[in-house]
Amino acid sequence: MSVNQQAHTGPPYGQPQPGYQGYQQPAYGGQPLPGVPQSQYGAYNGPMPGYQQPVPPQGYFPSLGFPSKGSPVSLNSDTSSLAPNFIGSLRAPPTSGAPPPASGASLPSGHLAYSQFGHGDVQNGIPASAAPMQRPPASQLFLPGSAPTPVSQTATFQQYGPPPASVQQLSNHMAGMTIGSTTASAPPPAGLGYGPPTSVPPVSGSFSATGSGLYTPYTASQGPSPTSVSQGLPLAQPLFPGQPMSTQRLPTQVPGFAPPPSSAGIGPSSYPPSTGAPRPPTMPGPPLPGQTVAGPPTSQPNHVSSPPPPSTMSGPHAGPPMSGLHGPPPPTHLPQPGYQMQQNGSFGQVRGPQPNYGGAYPGTPNYGSQPGPAPPPKRLDPDSIPSPIQVIEDDRSNRGSEPFVTGVRGQVPPLVTTNFLVKDQGNASPRYIRCTSYNIPCTSDMAKQSQVPLAAVIKPLATLPPEETLPYLVDHGESGPVRCNRCKAYMCPFMQFIEGGRRFQCCFCSCVTEVPPHYFQHLDHTGKRVDFYDRPELSLGSYEFLATVDYCKNNKFPSPPAFIFMIDVSYNAVKSGLVKLICEELKSLLDYLPREGNMEESAIRVGFVTYNKVLHFYNVKSSLAQPQMMVVSDVADMFVPLLDGFLVNVNESRTVIASLLDQIPEMFADTRETETVFAPVIQAGLEALKAAECAGKLFIFHTSLPIAEAPGKLKNRDDKKLINTDKEKTLFQPQTSFYNNLAKDCVAQGCCVDLFLFPNQYLDVATLGVVTYQTGGSIYKYAYFQLETDQDRFLNDLRRDVQKEVGFDAVMRVRTSTGIRATDFFGAFYMSNTTDVEMAGLDCDKTITVEFKHDDKLSEDSGALLQCALLYTSCAGQRRLRIHNLSLNCCTQLADLYRNCETDTLINYLAKYAYRGVLSSPVKTVRDALINQCAQILACYRKNCASPSSAGQLILPECMKLLPVYLNCVLKSDVLQPGPEVTTDDRAYIRQLVTSMDVAETNVFFYPRLLPLTKADVDSDSLPAAIRNSEERLSKGDIYLLENGLNMFVWVGVNVQQGLIQNLFGVSSFSQISNALSTLPVLENPFSKKVRSIVDMLQVQRSRYMKLIIVKQEDKLEMLFRHFLVEDKSLSGGASYVDFLCHMHKEIRQLLS
């Protein structure tokens, strides 16, 4: 819908659930979460002891602070949905007299109202006074000098005392209206342009009662708080009964950057200083007499309702006109006490020293030019900014119940965190392809202007849930698939049949091709072929063709692939128990090699090699009584000493293989050899596959830096001193080009390398991983491997890696319709030309990310098409083509682009782009480029799509409101901002992992999932509702589980009830819980069963097995755990979410000015 169109009132987004009237609701500014019990976050967010909570009067929205019958619409959000997620309740100002309640409902007498986020009597807001504070009516103009007009409404408005005589005074006047914290008894700061404090309207969206702020949650009939305060309300429903209202609708607006929504705890200067400084306490003390708190800019009154018209004033402060400058603002702008995202010290550039403004965001707090010491910086309330948890929950409740039907062009799919069923009706499932935007700009100029990258994250062999149908296999016989003569695109649902079905026009290049006689079919009255529904390639988005011999190497069909297991038997590997563990596991694992759907046994053959400084090959031919070993000590010129008997069928050679696996650990039990080779091992596997004329996979189990004399020998070049220098990029680059050349040879043969690393010190993952990376393989790393704690993880990873679906000798090409073309590719593969992505192996977890650029204009009518074609050999040796098609919309309006973006996919692309950037640029340059690009994306939206409003507001597109929080997580990741404990190998490892991750994996990797286990319902199958990644969300009395796809932590608070500890850990007290546990004990009680089932459920969802780490509060391991609380400031200097949002706003403002 267009930005100025009115939203409907029914909020599908985050609707409050009935049944929670009057309860304190969890974490997101008081939005009820569906199905969450009321006690959810009591410990850190809940009522202070002794405060009772009044039920809100009917028809009163706490977040708006005035009577209203309907629910507020998505204020400033860009969809017609309600986006509550960021605006939590505003911290209410302390007062000592209650104002008249709304809609005639009265507050229960004698109740101390309390602020949801408050701590005792420390409150935010204007210094208290003995007189009641009152609420302004909607149409009351802010006319300095006029007397307050009486309005027949319960909440009355009084002028701010004597009108300010000048702009300077006016700014002082507002400066005092900060929403920073003050104690309830603080006197008003001297020297501010206040009239009698009695007349200052309350800052918070809620009424205040004696001594403390009141926070009222919703009743079931009320909507959640607005996403912004410049809000569009339903046309039928004026802001206040009988008042005019705004018809403008804007995107999500972050409080405080906005005139924040009522629930924002933001006010002038409520930000911490720079990201580098420690975060100030949440509730600082009162301003000192004689000193002002930095306030909003002089040209802006604080307003609540719709955004002000652009001001003609120079300088960055657009705001409604003020007395002495312009006429009064239109009646829709009601003065809103105390919070406008100021152009002040907390961010925004300062034009010269200005009264009441602090220094620029990254600098030290410099609060204005008034005398007196500066007050502590105020902090933006985390509940008032966009919450990932809220967005995820809203999408689940809105889109999880209906199947996603792919028949319509340019539909944005549900989020990756939502469980949904897909019905393929002509476009590929989002499980195979996700795009950064589903509506792409028609011209390259528009694309450049928006800076939104146009990219698709493609997972060609993705696993589907059992309820969905696998792609159909189509066999066209010897003639093979029908293709366009010119561009060679494959037949798909978007091809247009003409001339009665005798020819078809290509949807990619418009060339007309004859339909082969065997493929001819008549058309119906609509121009569709009558066999449309019988042919997958005409009616479905994804399908497979059986490839003919023309699609095979050397024009002959391939042999089934082989798996070669190559085991390091140096001293470290044997002593740690690793060699024995691998051999034991392989005995049973070989029965589970991948096979085609209906085959009795796998067609894959297996071979075995062990190595240290030399290589040992084993003949396990079925006719032998005992395996035979052959040693190759000339590692400089690698060859395979035997052909017959090296690669065998598991069933035929079962007894010989079992005998070999029993003997290997004994043979090397007394080894003293500590040195290893590495490149010759890969060469040996490659030579074996060449000799057997098949593709395949090497499983290499390796423990140390290969320093023995041999090709590919490495030296220890680890140097922490290079971090933050221009040479840091060398740490990510391979130290020799030898492995790049070896990788090229492997890809040519279809030899994929999977690497299992067990380092006790630096191993140079950046170099050892090159072959794995370029052949489409996987790396697994188990630092300081210990049998008792790490074997579960290793064995689970190995089992999954051996069993998962994989295509060999794969080539992928992405075709596009005229106007755009694929220009850049990210992932684990090799490219010998600009169009073909080559992979020796491609498994069901790997993605290839493709970026598109314009090479011509697109049209809104025809849209844009992508076709991904993957040619590969199946595990049975069958050559196949898998085709995925996707149609996207095209737009001439930027608003349409911003309305159809997918932030999770955008972050996936940006992370991969940045992680590739560190190979060639200093890390700081990469970080700055990321921040700049995102600032440009958001600034372009602000400039071209949002309704005009003050520069002090941060306005985010509805579907991109999580871009800042997720981007900050990428910037703080170990690759771009390592803490002192992160090793060079860890960074290289993560860099390679992320490059092949799909959107669901990057989502949880950068913003981990945090679940309160103590809130889990032991009688249901569902997971407890997740909470935000911040320490202040944790309660000492609870147990939490955090997972990011690679790690899993169970955090136990110091005050957890003894009974829970007994039930989960089988010990009687907190101090007896052992950190050494790597699995939870199996205990027969409902809580233990529930928690273990949650752990198992999460393990199954992830492509790697997560090591379980038990973290006790205040224990040394807690530092590691805190690293994953990504909304907080990180030890390595990464900004907190709140700080980063301020910083992004400053960047956007700089671009706009």
Side-chain angles (χ1 to χ4, degrees):
M1 61 193 289
S2 83
V3 175
N4 292 328
Q5 199 177 329
Q6 202 46 55
H8 60 71
T9 46
Y13 211 61
Q15 194 114 351
Q17 303 296 309
Y20 286 101
Q21 280 108 320
Y23 275 83
Q24 169 63 50
Q25 287 294 349
Y28 318 111
Q31 267 84 260
L33 263 183
V36 180
Q38 152 254 354
S39 62
Q40 179 85 18
Y41 306 127
Y44 37 87
N45 242 354
M48 301 308 296
Y51 284 127
Q52 263 182 293
Q53 190 160 340
V55 174
Q58 190 55 33
Y60 166 64
F61 287 88
S63 52
L64 301 179
F66 35 71
S68 160
K69 300 281 181 290
S71 63
V73 214
S74 140
L75 313 177
N76 271 359
S77 72
D78 200 34
T79 61
S80 53
S81 54
L82 197 44
N85 47 328
F86 3 169
I87 314 265
S89 90
L90 182 59
R91 305 180 178 189
T95 89
S96 49
S103 306
S106 60
L107 296 175
S109 58
H111 277 245
L112 272 178
Y114 86 101
S115 151
Q116 180 191 14
F117 315 105
H119 294 279
D121 59 354
V122 180
Q123 291 300 332
N124 295 0
I126 303 162
S129 76
M133 299 205 174
Q134 324 224 285
R135 188 41 135 193
S139 63
Q140 183 66 45
L141 293 187
F142 185 12
L143 293 174
S146 69
T149 8
V151 180
S152 60
Q153 220 176 301
T154 44
T156 54
F157 169 74
Q158 294 164 336
Q159 195 55 38
Y160 299 91
S166 68
V167 171
Q168 166 61 59
Q169 230 181 312
L170 181 69
S171 86
N172 290 352
H173 182 96
M174 300 177 129
M177 301 195 316
T178 152
I179 308 202
S181 327
T182 55
T183 50
S185 57
L192 297 185
Y194 272 168
T198 50
S199 61
V200 182
V203 183
S204 143
S206 26
F207 289 109
S208 15
T210 329
S212 164
L214 154 70
Y215 171 69
T216 334
Y218 306 118
T219 58
S221 63
Q222 298 167 341
S225 62
T227 35
S228 125
V229 170
S230 309
Q231 71 206 37
L233 286 143
L235 280 168
Q237 160 62 43
L239 208 53
F240 289 77
Q243 306 297 346
M245 75 228 163
S246 148
T247 54
Q248 282 177 311
R249 279 185 10 96
L250 278 183
T252 304
Q253 190 162 325
V254 178
F257 305 108
S262 55
S263 46
I266 311 168
S269 118
S270 50
Y271 301 101
S274 82
T275 47
R279 176 191 279 187
T282 322
M283 300 264 168
L288 299 163
Q291 149 207 323
T292 58
V293 179
T298 50
S299 64
Q300 281 169 301
N302 301 317
H303 49 43
V304 142
S305 146
S306 60
S311 148
T312 51
M313 284 187 62
S314 60
H317 323 312
M322 305 233 7
S323 93
L325 302 167
H326 305 276
T332 44
H333 302 293
L334 89 139
Q336 146 152 9
Y339 44 121
Q340 166 59 35
M341 186 58 256
Q342 66 293 2
Q343 286 66 17
N344 77 353
S346 35
F347 61 93
Q349 62 286 36
V350 174
R351 312 283 173 112
Q354 297 179 6
N356 303 329
Y357 292 26
Y361 164 72
T364 51
N366 143 27
Y367 289 89
S369 54
Q370 305 296 325
K378 306 296 182 280
R379 199 181 141 209
L380 182 59
D381 170 22
D383 280 300
S384 61
I385 52 183
S387 154
I389 304 302
Q390 188 64 45
V391 171
I392 288 168
E393 285 297 329
D394 289 342
D395 193 77
R396 277 189 187 142
S397 55
N398 294 333
R399 306 198 63 182
S401 49
E402 292 295 310
F404 178 69
V405 181
T406 71
V408 183
R409 183 175 87 191
Q411 277 186 109
V412 183
L415 297 182
V416 283
T417 42
T418 298
N419 273 329
F420 59 99
L421 267 183
V422 180
K423 288 196 173 153
D424 185 341
Q425 291 192 358
N427 281 293
S429 160
R431 302 189 205 290
Y432 295 124
I433 308 183
R434 276 186 179 264
C435 294
T436 52
S437 178
Y438 287 80
N439 200 334
I440 60 182
C442 282
T443 64
S444 59
D445 290 347
M446 194 173 153
K448 283 194 189 90
Q449 188 186 354
S450 73
Q451 287 287 318
V452 175
L454 304 175
V457 179
I458 306 175
K459 195 176 183 182
L461 298 178
T463 312
L464 299 183
E467 314 74 88
E468 292 176 22
T469 332
L470 291 169
Y472 289 100
L473 181 60
V474 179
D475 183 358
H476 283 316
E478 286 180 20
S479 58
V482 178
R483 304 176 70 175
C484 165
N485 274 344
R486 185 198 291 161
C487 71
K488 300 292 182 236
Y490 294 87
M491 180 53 66
C492 72
F494 312 117
M495 298 289 191
Q496 199 65 47
F497 286 88
I498 53 176
E499 295 175 25
R502 285 187 297 281
R503 305 168 83 191
F504 68 90
Q505 184 169 26
C506 176
C507 51
F508 295 95
C509 71
S510 304
C511 171
V512 174
T513 302
E514 294 283 334
V515 172
H518 74 90
Y519 197 69
F520 174 78
Q521 187 53 270
H522 294 285
L523 309 183
D524 66 11
H525 65 287
T526 63
K528 264 187 189 168
R529 284 173 52 124
V530 296
D531 62 352
F532 174 81
Y533 290 108
D534 303 331
R535 291 194 176 273
E537 73 274 20
L538 298 182
S539 53
L540 298 176
S542 300
Y543 42 86
E544 291 197 312
F545 291 122
L546 205 53
T548 59
V549 77
D550 307 337
Y551 292 88
C552 303
K553 256 188 204 155
N554 311 325
N555 275 16
K556 63 180 214 185
F557 284 111
S559 310
F563 282 0
I564 304 177
F565 297 91
M566 316 184 89
I567 305 167
D568 173 347
V569 287
S570 63
Y571 179 81
N572 278 345
V574 174
K575 278 291 165 280
S576 64
L578 182 62
V579 174
K580 189 169 183 2
L581 183 69
I582 294 167
C583 292
E584 281 301 315
E585 178 61 29
L586 286 179
K587 284 186 209 167
S588 53
L589 187 54
L590 294 176
D591 287 333
Y592 297 96
L593 299 178
R595 55 175 174 234
E596 288 298 335
N598 48 7
M599 291 176 57
E600 291 284 309
E601 61 176 48
S602 174
I604 294 172
R605 291 169 297 160
V606 298
F608 302 88
V609 172
T610 55
Y611 67 94
N612 39 46
K613 265 186 359 190
V614 298
L615 275 76
H616 324 107
F617 293 80
Y618 296 93
N619 183 343
V620 283
K621 200 173 169 180
S622 55
S623 56
L624 296 174
Q626 282 295 318
Q628 294 171 348
M629 172 171 164
M630 295 175 189
V631 179
V632 176
S633 51
D634 181 7
V635 288
D637 183 18
M638 185 46 61
F639 67 100
V640 178
L642 74 160
L643 288 181
D644 190 30
F646 180 63
L647 293 178
V648 298
N649 172 294
V650 172
N651 279 339
E652 290 170 10
S653 297
R654 182 176 298 278
T655 51
V656 194
I657 291 173
S659 169
L660 170 67
L661 294 172
D662 283 335
Q663 288 175 40
I664 288 174
E666 292 165 13
M667 266 189 289
F668 298 99
D670 300 324
T671 184
R672 286 278 167 268
E673 186 53 76
T674 54
E675 292 187 358
T676 57
V677 296
F678 184 71
V681 182
I682 297 175
Q683 287 171 324
L686 172 61
E687 292 304 322
L689 294 177
K690 272 186 186 165
E693 295 184 339
C694 68
K697 188 181 262 201
L698 312 182
F699 295 83
I700 302 180
F701 304 91
H702 189 78
T703 60
S704 59
L705 191 70
I707 53 173
E709 270 315 317
K713 172 187 174 181
L714 300 179
K715 58 182 195 292
N716 186 339
R717 55 163 184 164
D718 189 16
D719 188 357
K720 279 277 175 87
K721 290 198 285 297
L722 297 182
I723 291 179
N724 295 328
T725 69
D726 284 353
K727 289 189 176 167
E728 183 172 5
K729 59 186 180 226
T730 59
L731 297 175
F732 295 109
Q733 297 163 353
Q735 55 174 285
T736 157
S737 62
F738 182 88
Y739 289 95
N740 294 73
N741 298 326
L742 181 53
K744 188 175 165 183
D745 296 340
C746 287
V747 173
Q749 181 55 43
C751 168
C752 175
V753 179
D754 279 0
L755 192 50
F756 292 80
L757 297 173
F758 305 87
N760 288 335
Q761 57 206 40
Y762 179 70
L763 188 82
D764 204 345
V765 173
T767 306
L768 296 189
V770 165
V771 179
T772 297
Y773 186 65
Q774 294 191 14
T775 58
S778 306
I779 302 189
Y780 299 85
K781 180 166 154 293
Y782 310 89
Y784 307 107
F785 178 81
Q786 288 186 308
L787 216 53
E788 53 282 359
T789 54
D790 296 308
Q791 76 169 17
D792 271 355
R793 182 163 64 115
F794 163 57
L795 293 180
N796 277 287
D797 284 343
L798 176 59
R799 286 166 195 157
R800 188 160 195 279
D801 195 56
V802 166
Q803 294 173 47
K804 66 185 170 190
E805 181 187 359
V806 58
F808 294 94
D809 225 341
V811 184
M812 186 182 102
R813 183 176 282 193
V814 178
R815 292 179 174 83
T816 53
S817 52
T818 312
I820 52 169
R821 61 194 170 85
T823 55
D824 207 352
F825 301 85
F826 304 83
F829 52 72
Y830 174 79
M831 290 186 83
S832 55
N833 58 35
T834 55
T835 54
D836 295 339
V837 175
E838 300 174 51
M839 294 155 287
L842 172 69
D843 65 50
C844 55
D845 298 322
K846 295 281 185 305
T847 62
I848 294 93
T849 301
V850 186
E851 186 178 8
F852 303 97
K853 290 262 168 38
H854 288 76
D855 55 8
D856 203 349
K857 283 203 169 91
L858 295 163
S859 92
E860 284 190 278
D861 299 338
S862 52
L865 301 173
L866 319 177
Q867 183 179 79
C868 160
L870 175 78
L871 175 64
Y872 71 101
T873 301
S874 74
C875 58
Q878 199 175 50
R879 201 69 177 150
R880 294 181 177 181
L881 283 151
R882 180 168 287 201
I883 312 294
H884 297 299
N885 302 288
L886 187 62
S887 59
L888 302 172
N889 287 329
C890 296
C891 58
T892 51
Q893 299 296 317
L894 283 163
D896 292 326
L897 162 69
Y898 283 103
R899 204 172 282 130
N900 291 279
C901 287
E902 230 236 340
T903 300
D904 293 326
T905 311
L906 191 56
I907 287 292
N908 179 285
Y909 165 83
L910 290 171
K912 290 171 180 177
Y913 184 78
Y915 281 16
R916 184 176 68 185
V918 298
L919 291 172
S920 51
S921 309
V923 172
K924 183 177 188 316
T925 310
V926 173
R927 292 165 49 81
D928 292 346
L930 266 185
I931 293 174
N932 184 45
Q933 181 168 5
C934 287
Q936 286 188 325
I937 291 171
L938 298 174
C940 173
Y941 176 81
R942 172 63 192 266
K943 185 177 172 189
N944 299 287
C945 309
S947 308
S949 59
S950 117
Q953 294 167 287
L954 172 58
I955 301 182
L956 302 170
E958 177 59 29
C959 62
M960 281 191 191
K961 59 190 174 192
L962 298 181
L963 188 59
V965 62
Y966 287 161
L967 178 70
N968 190 34
C969 296
V970 175
L971 293 169
K972 291 188 339 184
S973 64
D974 291 340
V975 173
L976 298 181
Q977 194 163 29
E981 73 297 337
V982 180
T983 67
T984 305
D985 276 345
D986 286 333
R987 297 176 74 195
Y989 174 62
I990 295 298
R991 197 190 76 77
Q992 290 200 16
L993 275 188
V994 168
T995 308
S996 310
M997 279 185 182
D998 71 10
V999 180
E1001 289 171 320
T1002 50
N1003 174 273
V1004 76
F1005 178 74
F1006 289 115
Y1007 192 93
R1009 174 150 58 164
L1010 182 57
L1011 304 173
L1013 295 177
T1014 22
K1015 304 284 186 285
D1017 177 358
V1018 292
D1019 300 321
S1020 91
D1021 292 339
S1022 60
L1023 293 171
I1027 61 170
R1028 290 171 65 173
N1029 284 196
S1030 171
E1031 193 173 356
E1032 61 188 40
R1033 308 276 166 187
L1034 303 177
S1035 149
K1036 292 182 174 186
D1038 286 322
I1039 302 175
Y1040 299 86
L1041 184 147
L1042 180 143
E1043 61 111 5
N1044 74 341
L1046 297 181
N1047 305 289
M1048 184 185 281
F1049 296 91
V1050 170
W1051 182 91
V1052 188
V1054 286
N1055 297 346
V1056 173
Q1057 292 171 9
Q1058 213 173 329
L1060 284 176
I1061 291 175
Q1062 182 71 53
N1063 283 344
L1064 190 57
F1065 300 103
V1067 296
S1068 54
S1069 71
F1070 178 81
S1071 59
Q1072 292 174 306
I1073 299 171
S1074 163
N1075 281 349
L1077 289 175
S1078 59
T1079 53
L1080 293 169
V1082 177
L1083 303 171
E1084 286 303 312
N1085 65 70
F1087 184 59
S1088 171
K1089 284 178 184 166
K1090 177 65 184 176
V1091 172
R1092 282 181 288 113
S1093 82
I1094 289 174
V1095 169
D1096 294 343
M1097 193 189 309
L1098 299 180
Q1099 294 285 21
V1100 169
Q1101 284 176 16
R1102 306 291 171 217
S1103 63
R1104 289 170 183 246
Y1105 192 85
M1106 297 176 279
K1107 181 177 180 175
L1108 181 67
I1109 299 170
I1110 308 292
V1111 178
K1112 292 156 71 175
Q1113 188 178 358
E1114 294 162 13
D1115 190 64
K1116 58 183 184 297
L1117 274 174
E1118 204 179 19
M1119 296 299 272
L1120 178 61
F1121 174 75
R1122 279 189 196 161
H1123 178 69
F1124 297 95
L1125 298 177
V1126 291
E1127 287 197 23
D1128 297 339
K1129 199 167 155 52
S1130 74
L1131 294 169
S1132 52
S1136 69
Y1137 175 20
V1138 166
D1139 292 1
F1140 184 69
L1141 202 48
C1142 302
H1143 182 62
M1144 278 304 283
H1145 186 225
K1146 177 189 152 210
E1147 295 282 326
I1148 292 165
R1149 293 247 316 273
Q1150 269 170 343
L1151 290 170
L1152 290 174
S1153 62

